[in-house]
Amino acid sequence: MGHYVLRRVLQMIPVFFGATLLIFLMVYSLPGDPIAAMFGDKAADPAQVASLRHKYYLDQPLWKQYLHYMNNIFHLDFGTSFTGRPVSEIMADAFPVTIRLALVAFFFEIFIGLPLGLIAGLYRGSVADTLVLVLTLIVISIPVFVLGYIAQTIFAINLGWVTATVQDSTDISQLILPGLVLASLSLAYVARLTRTSIGENLRADYMRTAVAKGLPRHTIIGRHLLRNSLIPVVTFLGTDLGALMGGAIVTEGIFNIAGVGNVLYKAINQKEGPTVVGIVTVLVLVYLVASLVVDLLYAVLDPRIRYA
């Protein structure tokens, strides 16, 4: 196990450098001058522009800028935004909000998506199975921003059960509706993936053996069927946690949540290179760590899997 973890960590290093390099090149190679944009329509003093370029290291070749950025990253310095605020402070404000929202969404994926998939898989061809397939197909077909506005109109404006926008992001009850909207698409995929996996494993030899041995139904389903069927679902959930954090731009915009997605959207519009690269760098790390945890969970779910 130790050797496997070490090897996986070593594999993550080139992936991290490659991903951050691509992000850095894409952000800083975009047309437009972020320093000139800081002055808007006002005439900029050339000396002041040159000073700002030097301050943000923009007067250096792109490869030198990247090396300078990575050197700062290893000292936990994500740089300073063009507004003068440290990027680490911006992320310290935004990430806790998005993490709470992502965890609420993750909760819905697990505690609604999995049971729906399990029921549909166990009772294939039944009314319950058809309902799950139709409902998940509807959710998959509707864009998230449409679903968000529909949920906001029905539950906040018409019924008044929740506030239309999030006033206090530390109040989990206010994050329930945005979390459900954020989770909707992934929840539908989890239900369908679980259904398919359950259906395949129901026909496996070990299931027939378990039934022939006369094991209780709850033991067959919980210990044998569900455990083996969860491997593809856990793979999806592991990678989806990072996607929930990075893909919350639309949901956070609809419900006015000051999270990572909102900050990232504004930073892209304002050509805030340091903020964009800093946030995406952290998201890359989240993806990599989530991927490693998922790989390690495989052996827990299926004892036949051994790490070489």
mmCIF file of all heavy atoms in Angstrom, residues 32 92 149 154 169 175 255:
data_model
loop_
_atom_site.group_PDB
_atom_site.id
_atom_site.type_symbol
_atom_site.label_atom_id
_atom_site.label_comp_id
_atom_site.label_asym_id
_atom_site.label_seq_id
_atom_site.Cartn_x
_atom_site.Cartn_y
_atom_site.Cartn_z
ATOM 1 N N GLY A 32 -5.249 41.307 -24.835
ATOM 2 C CA GLY A 32 -5.683 42.353 -23.895
ATOM 3 C C GLY A 32 -4.620 42.597 -22.850
ATOM 4 O O GLY A 32 -3.865 41.688 -22.488
ATOM 5 N N ALA A 92 -9.385 32.434 0.691
ATOM 6 C CA ALA A 92 -9.780 32.084 2.064
ATOM 7 C C ALA A 92 -11.222 32.493 2.338
ATOM 8 O O ALA A 92 -11.908 31.865 3.151
ATOM 9 C CB ALA A 92 -8.843 32.762 3.061
ATOM 10 N N TYR A 149 -33.436 28.603 -12.052
ATOM 11 C CA TYR A 149 -34.472 29.645 -12.056
ATOM 12 C C TYR A 149 -35.856 29.057 -11.754
ATOM 13 O O TYR A 149 -36.675 29.687 -11.084
ATOM 14 C CB TYR A 149 -34.477 30.368 -13.406
ATOM 15 C CG TYR A 149 -33.345 31.360 -13.539
ATOM 16 C CD1 TYR A 149 -32.398 31.259 -14.538
ATOM 17 C CD2 TYR A 149 -33.223 32.406 -12.616
ATOM 18 C CE1 TYR A 149 -31.347 32.167 -14.644
ATOM 19 C CE2 TYR A 149 -32.177 33.316 -12.713
ATOM 20 C CZ TYR A 149 -31.242 33.188 -13.731
ATOM 21 O OH TYR A 149 -30.203 34.089 -13.818
ATOM 22 N N ILE A 154 -40.330 28.623 -7.955
ATOM 23 C CA ILE A 154 -41.341 27.805 -7.256
ATOM 24 C C ILE A 154 -41.158 27.866 -5.735
ATOM 25 O O ILE A 154 -42.081 28.207 -4.991
ATOM 26 C CB ILE A 154 -41.266 26.342 -7.751
ATOM 27 C CG1 ILE A 154 -41.680 26.264 -9.223
ATOM 28 C CG2 ILE A 154 -42.185 25.452 -6.892
ATOM 29 C CD1 ILE A 154 -41.521 24.886 -9.827
ATOM 30 N N SER A 169 -24.141 32.636 4.003
ATOM 31 C CA SER A 169 -23.634 31.358 3.482
ATOM 32 C C SER A 169 -23.222 30.383 4.584
ATOM 33 O O SER A 169 -22.951 29.217 4.304
ATOM 34 C CB SER A 169 -22.443 31.613 2.554
ATOM 35 O OG SER A 169 -21.384 32.216 3.267
ATOM 36 N N LEU A 175 -28.481 26.970 2.012
ATOM 37 C CA LEU A 175 -27.714 26.342 0.919
ATOM 38 C C LEU A 175 -28.400 25.086 0.381
ATOM 39 O O LEU A 175 -27.903 24.464 -0.556
ATOM 40 C CB LEU A 175 -26.303 25.974 1.409
ATOM 41 C CG LEU A 175 -25.389 27.134 1.799
ATOM 42 C CD1 LEU A 175 -24.052 26.602 2.301
ATOM 43 C CD2 LEU A 175 -25.154 28.068 0.613
ATOM 44 N N PHE A 255 -28.012 32.202 -7.262
ATOM 45 C CA PHE A 255 -28.394 32.377 -5.857
ATOM 46 C C PHE A 255 -27.510 33.397 -5.125
ATOM 47 O O PHE A 255 -27.562 33.479 -3.900
ATOM 48 C CB PHE A 255 -28.356 31.021 -5.139
ATOM 49 C CG PHE A 255 -29.399 30.074 -5.631
ATOM 50 C CD1 PHE A 255 -29.095 29.124 -6.597
ATOM 51 C CD2 PHE A 255 -30.699 30.138 -5.154
ATOM 52 C CE1 PHE A 255 -30.056 28.248 -7.067
ATOM 53 C CE2 PHE A 255 -31.670 29.265 -5.618
ATOM 54 C CZ PHE A 255 -31.347 28.320 -6.578
#
